[in-house]
Amino acid sequence: MVPEETCLLLVTTTHEAIYNRFAPHMKRWIVFLVSSVGLLPMFVQTAFVPSIPQIAKDLDLTHAVVSLTFSLSILANAVGLLVWAAYSSFYGRRSMYLWGMPFVCIGSCGVAVSTSLQSLLFWRFVQTFGCAGGMSLGHGVIGDIYKLGERGTVIGVFFGVTLLGYAVAPFLGGAATQYWSWRNLHYSIGAWGLLEMLLIYLSFPETSHPGTLGIDKVTRRRWIHITWLNPLSSLWLLRSPNLFAVMIAQALVLLTDYVLLVPMAYTIGARYGITNEAIIGACFLPNGLGNLAGSPIAGRLSDIVVRRWREKRKGVWFPEDRLRATWIGGLFMVPLSVGASGLITTYVGGPIGLSLNLLFLFMNGMGVDFVFSPIASYNVDVMHSRSAEATAASTAVRSLIISAATTLVIPSIERIGVAWTNIIAAILALIGQGIILLMIRYGDRMRARGCQSYY
């Protein structure tokens, strides 16, 4: 058995020097670019939800059938994550950003001109596939340019900006559907993708560490060198019990977001008599604003926890130290907010009930980020050289779990009611936090069975 001490990190000056390749102002510009690209998949997914009733009317379909496109977009996101992350380790981050944006542009235009369910499903898949790499590649880029004691804060900022999509996309999607056109909304997303592609082409450098890309090791390279890679190989990283455990914990916590948001028109909308798509979209805002406020705080807190425990051990640290920052969100904010929202929706009517629901939506957004941000940084810490792939594998499997679970949300509400559905989600979130607590306690022993390189 490998001694536990060999799996600990002693930060060296030699290794930290590689993070000084870019000036501070250039790092900030890079984070701005990857955050704006990371905002796209969030926007593409959630802007669609308030427009489902109008799309169903225009295409003469039922709401349930159109809702299938939401589940399909989650599947496309999972596939795209694996593809872009796998190829980013071979060709680099910059190339994958440039390859993905044309899919977004073409797919968005395809959605806008769809006249049947088949064409809507196909182009929705293309659109979501193209922008799926935004989150995993963003994590990889931040891991490339920021060292251990800084990246938690930066990943928190990245999360905050990208999750802004959850705040503004439903509102803009609902407003566009109500006062403009859901088709024009998707034309606008295509134009956004084109702008991002131009900015990346003109001002985004390759951030991967020198000599680490697969293309760098090819001795006989053609002018256009295309290599087949197995995108599913990233999933093999989840054989690590540490990565698999925190992925399950993330899924159980994130599920509360979907339980609150996906059936919004049928829960809060129906309970409080809200039928206007723009107003229903505006009800998503508190959750997104909670994401925006919680991410930077959670990231900063996780960095503080890492530094304090490293000082306590005189320079030696355990990667699981970062997970100690999750307990506020996982034990209190997330389960309390989702459970309380279900009970209030069921038993409290009028403006008071609506106001309390909006408050708990904000709390849930903050609480989810208090769990998500430290785990995202943890994944980068433990799989630094393959951080984009680790993030993609975790997100892809988590997306498949969420995709399957969301299909049960509305049937569950119809069968046992909003209150019990939300209480079940709260219990699952507590189980997720329990897994994290076990990781903090026993994660070092799990890693001792197979030492990994942490940076």
Side-chain angles (χ1 to χ4, degrees):
M1 181 178 291
V2 180
E4 291 181 17
E5 289 77 7
T6 63
C7 289
L8 302 177
L9 173 68
L10 293 173
V11 178
T12 64
T13 304
T14 302
H15 183 74
E16 289 192 3
I18 202 168
Y19 297 104
N20 297 325
R21 294 173 296 154
F22 301 104
H25 73 275
M26 188 62 188
K27 289 184 178 182
R28 289 191 291 271
W29 174 248
I30 290 172
V31 172
F32 170 78
L33 284 178
V34 300
S35 297
S36 61
V37 177
L39 180 61
L40 256 176
M42 303 294 180
F43 196 94
V44 166
Q45 283 198 24
T46 55
F48 188 84
V49 175
S51 62
I52 287 177
Q54 188 60 46
I55 293 174
K57 181 179 179 181
D58 287 355
L59 302 185
D60 194 25
L61 302 168
T62 67
H63 294 187
V65 169
V66 177
S67 296
L68 290 175
T69 60
F70 184 80
S71 297
L72 182 69
S73 70
I74 297 177
L75 175 62
N77 187 63
V79 174
L81 278 164
L82 295 174
V83 171
W84 301 127
Y87 278 91
S88 75
S89 296
F90 190 89
Y91 290 105
R93 322 294 192 199
R94 172 183 160 87
S95 297
M96 292 307 100
Y97 279 125
L98 292 175
W99 291 4
M101 288 301 106
F103 285 90
V104 178
C105 299
I106 296 171
S108 297
C109 293
V111 171
V113 300
S114 294
T115 56
S116 67
L117 176 63
Q118 291 79 5
S119 62
L120 180 66
L121 292 173
F122 175 79
W123 291 117
R124 183 75 174 147
F125 187 96
V126 173
Q127 180 191 44
T128 311
F129 173 83
C131 64
M135 289 297 290
S136 59
L137 294 177
H139 283 97
V141 168
I142 292 171
D144 291 338
I145 64 177
Y146 283 98
K147 57 188 179 183
L148 173 69
E150 301 170 340
R151 70 173 63 119
T153 300
V154 181
I155 286 178
V157 173
F158 171 74
F159 254 124
V161 174
T162 55
L163 292 176
L164 181 63
Y166 279 124
V168 300
F171 172 70
L172 293 178
T177 301
Q178 185 74 22
Y179 304 112
W180 194 25
S181 165
W182 63 270
R183 298 183 186 276
N184 289 337
L185 171 67
H186 289 279
Y187 280 128
S188 300
I189 293 174
W192 180 4
L194 179 61
L195 176 61
E196 294 287 359
M197 184 170 64
L198 291 174
L199 287 174
I200 290 170
Y201 180 78
L202 295 173
S203 62
F204 184 79
E206 179 54 56
T207 61
S208 299
H209 292 183
T212 61
L213 296 178
I215 193 70
D216 296 334
K217 301 176 177 64
V218 177
T219 54
R220 300 181 62 183
R221 189 188 310 177
R222 297 181 295 274
W223 182 64
I224 299 179
H225 191 93
I226 300 176
T227 299
W228 164 253
L229 299 176
N230 180 9
L232 298 180
S233 62
S234 300
L235 296 175
W236 188 242
L237 296 175
L238 293 179
R239 73 187 187 279
S240 162
N242 301 62
L243 294 181
F244 184 80
V246 295
M247 181 274 296
I248 293 296
Q250 275 186 314
L252 294 177
V253 170
L254 182 62
L255 181 60
T256 63
D257 250 359
Y258 286 85
V259 167
L260 289 173
L261 299 180
V262 171
M264 177 94 61
Y266 309 101
T267 53
I268 292 177
R271 180 69 172 88
Y272 301 105
I274 302 171
T275 57
N276 185 296
E277 287 90 347
I279 297 177
I280 291 175
C283 290
F284 286 69
L285 281 169
N287 186 266
L289 293 174
N291 291 146
L292 183 63
S295 286
I297 297 172
R300 179 67 175 170
L301 180 61
S302 73
D303 276 345
I304 292 173
V305 170
V306 165
R307 287 196 292 267
R308 286 184 177 177
W309 279 86
R310 189 168 64 185
E311 291 170 1
K312 191 174 182 180
R313 300 193 188 97
K314 299 180 180 179
V316 180
W317 72 291
F318 291 97
E320 288 74 27
D321 289 341
R322 199 178 288 278
L323 301 179
R324 298 177 188 273
T326 64
W327 67 271
I328 298 175
L331 278 181
F332 298 103
M333 298 177 75
V334 171
L336 176 63
S337 60
V338 69
S341 177
L343 292 171
I344 289 168
T345 301
T346 303
Y347 298 110
V348 183
I352 294 177
L354 178 60
S355 299
L356 289 174
N357 261 301
L358 296 179
L359 174 64
F360 284 117
L361 283 168
F362 178 84
M363 181 188 294
N364 182 262
M366 284 197 71
V368 167
D369 277 353
F370 269 83
V371 177
F372 247 64
S373 189
I375 291 179
S377 300
Y378 173 80
N379 287 337
V380 175
D381 290 343
V382 300
M383 295 298 296
H384 182 271
S385 61
R386 303 183 68 184
S387 56
E389 291 179 79
T391 301
S394 177
T395 306
V397 176
R398 188 176 70 236
S399 296
L400 294 177
I401 294 172
I402 294 295
S403 178
T406 52
T407 62
L408 303 176
V409 173
I410 293 180
S412 175
I413 291 173
E414 292 174 345
R415 186 172 182 84
I416 62 176
V418 178
W420 279 110
T421 299
N422 286 27
I423 288 172
I424 291 172
I427 293 172
L428 292 175
L430 286 172
I431 292 173
Q433 183 60 29
I435 293 172
I436 295 174
L437 294 176
L438 290 174
M439 282 294 302
I440 295 172
R441 179 68 179 85
Y442 299 108
D444 56 333
R445 302 180 190 180
M446 295 162 67
R447 285 184 294 103
R449 296 182 179 181
C451 185
Q452 296 167 310
S453 179
Y454 306 119
Y455 299 99

